[in-house]
Amino acid sequence: MKSINYAALSSICALIIGVLLVVWPDVAINYLVITIGALFMLPGIFGIVSYLMTANKQEAAGIHVEFPVIALGSALFGFWLMIMPSFFINILMYVLGVLLVFGGLLQIMNFMSLRAYSHVPFGFFIIPVLILAAGITVLFNPFEVATIPFIILGVSAIVYGLSDLIRLVQFSKRIKEEEKNITDVTPIEEIKD
């Protein structure tokens, strides 16, 4: 459930970034970069704090928990954006384009892995492919017109955030059922006793 909460927070942050980019494409870029940095930092800090709060309990229960490297990277990247916004003004489009490419690829891989639990309609793959295409488009035309790529990025981030939230809502029940089925299984040691 912690990973679902982290994913939901990430999706909400993507929505906020998207709305900011669509509504104010021509605002002072420094403030936008600082805001985007804060929105990268929030889910990163949330993921790290969640890990620190639950890791000892899960390790004591014999469950190995990996350190949330992605959350740490998100927090550090957000902090870097906040303290050095002028550095990122020139490369912001490339960074966000790469993030859209990774976001689209990640959603495609998530849907592929969910196919083991449930039928995933073909239509679910359309939005991640469009997000991937938007990221590639931004990477190849980042400075042609300054506001158009921001609007494209904003719309793509909104679509990414909304589709990820829809995915979480639709598949969280199935994941809970699978986790419940796993915890209901009696360990072999108890059967031998």
Side-chain angles (χ1 to χ4, degrees):
M1 285 309 297
K2 296 290 184 196
S3 63
I4 290 175
N5 291 337
Y6 175 73
L9 182 62
S10 297
S11 300
I12 291 168
C13 287
L15 279 171
I16 293 170
I17 290 170
V19 169
L20 288 173
L21 290 172
V22 169
V23 174
W24 296 297
D26 55 348
V27 288
I29 191 75
N30 280 337
Y31 294 117
L32 185 59
V33 172
I34 291 169
T35 303
I36 291 171
L39 293 173
F40 271 105
M41 233 171 97
L42 285 175
I45 290 171
F46 180 80
I48 293 168
V49 169
S50 294
Y51 167 79
L52 293 174
M53 290 175 62
T54 61
N56 289 338
K57 293 176 189 174
Q58 291 178 346
E59 292 286 342
I63 301 171
H64 178 69
V65 182
E66 295 290 328
F67 184 79
V69 176
I70 294 174
L72 177 63
S74 178
L76 291 175
F77 181 66
F79 182 68
W80 191 14
L81 281 169
M82 290 175 69
I83 62 171
M84 296 179 65
S86 59
F87 173 76
F88 284 95
I89 290 172
N90 295 329
I91 62 167
L92 179 64
M93 300 309 291
Y94 290 113
V95 171
L96 291 176
V98 167
L99 291 174
L100 279 175
V101 167
F102 285 139
L105 289 173
L106 182 64
Q107 273 195 323
I108 290 169
M109 290 188 302
N110 284 340
F111 285 138
M112 296 294 281
S113 67
L114 286 172
R115 292 174 76 184
Y117 297 109
S118 172
H119 170 71
V120 180
F122 175 75
F124 277 58
F125 289 93
I126 293 172
I127 291 174
V129 168
L130 291 174
I131 291 169
L132 178 63
I136 292 169
T137 302
V138 169
L139 285 174
F140 284 108
N141 297 313
F143 300 112
E144 190 172 290
V145 179
T147 58
I148 291 175
F150 273 105
I151 293 170
I152 291 171
L153 282 170
V155 170
S156 300
I158 290 169
V159 169
Y160 171 75
L162 285 175
S163 64
D164 211 34
L165 285 172
I166 290 168
R167 176 189 63 83
L168 287 170
V169 168
Q170 289 185 340
F171 293 107
S172 66
K173 183 178 179 183
R174 189 166 305 274
I175 291 170
K176 286 180 191 176
E177 289 173 3
E178 290 295 324
E179 288 175 351
K180 184 179 182 292
N181 290 340
I182 291 171
T183 57
D184 288 344
V185 175
T186 306
I188 295 174
E189 292 80 21
E190 290 181 17
I191 294 173
K192 289 180 181 177
D193 292 338

